[in-house]
């Protein structure tokens, strides 16, 4: 069933082949309508006014939290903090939890597969407190090397940061297995970057077993500028606020301040209520499709795209087999620079991402400076693969000398 007609931008551009949903997804009408409806019917500052319109804004914002919390499987909606997105969520943990709980001699485990947003905050935290950063290596197929991971685990391990799904390769990491390994050997806090998890997989925070989980709304049909941090209540309650300002306080004396309860303690300033409402509408849209169907659809496109691209001489595809990936195909074409390839494809209305995908440690391990990445989502169709394959063949003809 074609879902293209649900997305106004795609309807307005019938010749466009949007294959960059891992960067940001397109937005369906229901999300755009929800944003407009909020501003037309409920726009006021939540939690601040005694008048009916402010109460309507508060209700809309609180309702959005409940809806999104249900989708990501957290029974206690107050443990879902709305943030600007994954990057802000991870920086919040690194600053608030990290600087309070880590000290010289402690160890942090990150992975070579991760996005900079789940690598640099931990690297910088380690530098600032004198902790040691351990980097879990990857296998030749682009999976986490769990033997390497196991070797790093020790009583000194205080924090483990791992991605749910790799944005560059589409690798789905075995989070429950990793949690079991960590819990068996340490009492480390586990942070999971779900930027590429929530849009593509059924995520249940309470059953996953991690301590913190971060995600972005704009990659799951929601608006830009809204996302979430989920944390275990006891950890969130013990953490100091990340930002200071309105709504996150209880009492402000001349010489000290006490903090509001969760989630408000971590939501200083006027909340992004409209985008939260938009995100709740995106959740409703994805629920209407069903997350099992979302993954099935992406996988069938990824399998076909991988199969057809791999038949082109000079193509190298990175990452585990298509059946084990989410909606990403990462590849190179001989010595053709991925930026040149992306420019040729753009000439035919095909949008892919070329570059290091904010994963320079991974690119070094793959021994490339960049890859071309086609990423698929609910609105993509077989015709997008046809266009991609034709475009790559055209690029091969143009840069023939570089594809031997
Ligand atoms: N990846 C991509 O093209 P923000 O920008 O905060 O919404 O998400 C950051 C982020 C964190 N982790 C992972 C695994 C991600 O994929 C991203 C964003 C985009 O792959 C933009 S670099």
């Amino acid at each position: 069933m074609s879902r293209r007609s649900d997305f106004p931008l795609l309807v307005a551009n019938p010749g466009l082949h949007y294959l960059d949903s891992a960067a940001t997804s397109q937005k369906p009408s229901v999300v755009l309508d929800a944003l407009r409806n909020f501003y037309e019917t409920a726009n006021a500052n939540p939690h601040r006014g005694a008048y009916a319109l402010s109460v309507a804004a508060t209700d809309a914002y609180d309702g959005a939290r409940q809806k999104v919390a249900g989708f990501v499987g957290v029974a206690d909606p107050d443990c879902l903090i709305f943030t600007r997105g994954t990057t802000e969520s991870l920086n919040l943990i690194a600053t608030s939890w990290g600087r309070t709980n880590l000290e010289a001699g402690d160890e942090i485990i990150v992975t070579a597969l991760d996005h900079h947003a789940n690598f640099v905050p931990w690297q910088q935290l380690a530098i600032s407190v004198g902790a040691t950063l351990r980097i879990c290596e990857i296998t030749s197929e682009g999976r986490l090397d769990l033997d390497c991971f196991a070797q790093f685990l020790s009583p000194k391990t205080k924090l483990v940061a791992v991605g749910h799904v790799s944005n560059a390769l589409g690798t789905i990491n075995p989070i429950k297995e990793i949690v079991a390994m960590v819990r068996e050997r340490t009492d480390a806090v586990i942070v999971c970057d779900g930027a590429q998890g929530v849009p593509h997989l059924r995520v249940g925070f309470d059953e996953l077993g991690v301590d913190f989980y971060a995600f972005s709304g704009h990659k799951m049909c929601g608006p830009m500028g809204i996302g979430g941090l989920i944390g275990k209540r006891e950890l969130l309650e013990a953490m100091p606020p990340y930002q200071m300002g309105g709504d996150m306080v209880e009492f402000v004396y001349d010489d000290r301040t006490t903090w509001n309860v969760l989630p408000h303690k971590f939501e200083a300033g006027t909340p992004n209520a409209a985008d939260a409402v938009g995100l709740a509408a995106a959740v409703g849209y994805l629920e209407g499709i069903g997350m099992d169907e979302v993954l099935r659809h992406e996988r069938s496109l990824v399998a076909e795209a991988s199969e057809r691209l791999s038949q082109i001489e000079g193509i190298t595809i990175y990452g585990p087999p298509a059946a084990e990936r989410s909606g990403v195909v990462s590849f190179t074409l001989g010595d053709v620079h991925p930026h040149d390839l992306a420019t040729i494809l753009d000439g035919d209305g095909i949008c892919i991402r070329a570059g290091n995908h904010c994963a320079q440690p991974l690119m070094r391990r793959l021994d490339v400076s960049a890859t071309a990445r086609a990423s698929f989502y609910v609105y993509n169709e077989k015709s997008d693969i046809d266009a991609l394959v034709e475009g790559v063949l055209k690029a091969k003809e143009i840069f023939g000398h570089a594809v031997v």
Side-chain angles (χ1 to χ4, degrees):
M1 190 187 86
S2 173
R3 293 189 195 93
R4 224 183 134 95
S5 57
D6 296 340
F7 293 80
L9 185 143
L10 299 178
V11 171
N13 296 279
L16 193 76
H17 298 282
Y18 188 74
L19 294 172
D20 199 17
S21 298
T24 196
S25 69
Q26 295 303 333
K27 322 300 174 199
S29 305
V30 286
V31 169
L32 305 177
D33 292 347
L35 290 172
R36 189 175 183 92
N37 185 52
F38 175 84
Y39 283 121
E40 284 184 351
T41 67
N43 182 50
N45 205 319
H47 305 145
R48 283 154 174 84
Y51 51 91
L53 193 59
S54 176
V55 174
T58 304
D59 287 349
Y61 187 54
D62 292 351
R65 193 187 311 277
Q66 284 196 7
K67 178 85 180 164
V68 178
F71 186 67
V72 292
V74 57
D76 182 351
D78 292 345
C79 292
L80 167 64
I81 316 296
F82 279 126
T83 63
R84 282 194 297 127
T86 306
T87 303
E88 187 174 53
S89 299
L90 294 169
N91 277 278
L92 190 164
I93 310 164
T95 303
S96 173
W97 188 90
R99 286 174 195 269
T100 313
N101 290 286
L102 291 193
E103 56 187 28
D106 291 340
E107 296 190 359
I108 299 174
I109 303 180
V110 295
T111 89
L113 198 52
D114 268 272
H115 187 280
H116 296 160
N118 198 29
F119 190 98
V120 182
W122 312 121
Q123 178 197 62
Q124 294 302 307
L125 175 65
I127 292 169
S128 71
V129 302
T132 302
L133 190 75
R134 305 267 183 219
I135 304 173
C136 174
E137 294 299 332
I138 54 167
T139 67
S140 56
E141 279 199 316
R143 294 189 179 88
L144 288 181
D145 180 345
L146 292 184
D147 290 335
C148 174
F149 186 77
Q151 276 168 21
F152 286 153
L153 284 171
S154 86
K156 287 186 185 169
T157 313
K158 290 287 151 41
L159 185 134
V160 171
V162 64
H164 201 165
V165 177
S166 157
N167 67 315
L169 301 181
T171 313
I172 301 174
N173 290 324
I175 299 300
K176 282 188 177 171
E177 197 181 328
I178 289 170
V179 169
M181 288 168 76
V182 174
R183 299 287 184 236
E184 200 179 270
R185 293 177 216 193
T186 78
D187 57 3
V189 158
I190 306 171
V191 179
C192 187
D193 171 353
Q196 305 288 348
V198 181
H200 310 285
L201 308 173
R202 184 183 295 284
V203 171
F205 174 79
D206 289 339
E207 66 184 56
L208 206 52
V210 300
D211 297 296
F212 294 106
Y213 193 95
F215 62 98
S216 299
H218 69 96
K219 295 180 195 291
M220 50 186 284
C221 294
M224 289 183 174
I226 187 83
L229 167 64
I230 318 166
K232 289 197 173 150
R233 179 172 272 279
E234 63 275 19
L235 291 172
L236 291 170
E237 280 184 341
M239 284 158 55
Y242 175 55
Q243 292 181 331
M244 317 285 163
D247 213 28
M248 48 74 68
V249 299
E250 182 192 29
F251 297 114
V252 179
Y253 305 99
D254 283 1
D255 60 345
R256 71 196 159 88
T257 297
T258 57
W259 313 130
N260 203 343
V261 295
L262 296 175
H264 312 293
K265 181 172 84 169
F266 291 107
E267 294 185 358
T270 298
N272 187 358
D275 288 330
V277 167
L279 178 56
V283 160
Y285 180 75
L286 291 174
E287 281 174 345
I289 300 170
M291 291 313 289
D292 294 340
E293 172 58 19
V294 169
L295 186 62
R296 191 208 60 76
H297 177 74
E298 286 175 15
R299 279 219 169 123
S300 73
L301 293 173
V302 163
E304 180 176 342
S306 301
E307 167 64 20
R308 288 175 62 187
L309 286 173
S310 65
Q311 285 167 14
I312 300 174
E313 196 194 347
I315 287 266
T316 305
I317 296 181
Y318 301 88
E324 296 171 36
R325 271 184 269 141
S326 76
V328 168
V329 184
S330 213
F331 62 98
T332 49
L333 174 66
D335 285 338
V336 179
H337 196 284
H339 284 151
D340 291 335
L341 181 57
T343 304
I344 299 289
L345 293 177
D346 182 46
D348 289 327
I350 305 156
C351 311
I352 63 159
R353 182 164 175 194
N356 61 47
H357 314 297
C358 302
Q360 290 178 26
L362 173 63
M363 295 295 124
R364 279 195 296 281
R365 269 88 180 167
L366 298 176
D367 202 20
V368 292
S369 60
T371 71
R373 182 190 71 182
S375 52
F376 297 88
Y377 208 27
V378 292
Y379 34 73
N380 288 118
E381 301 172 346
K382 192 175 169 303
S383 57
D384 296 317
I385 302 177
D386 295 341
L388 175 68
V389 171
E390 263 174 51
V392 172
L393 286 170
K394 183 172 163 185
K396 187 175 171 204
E397 233 172 83
I398 296 170
F399 297 107
H401 59 282
V403 189
V404 206

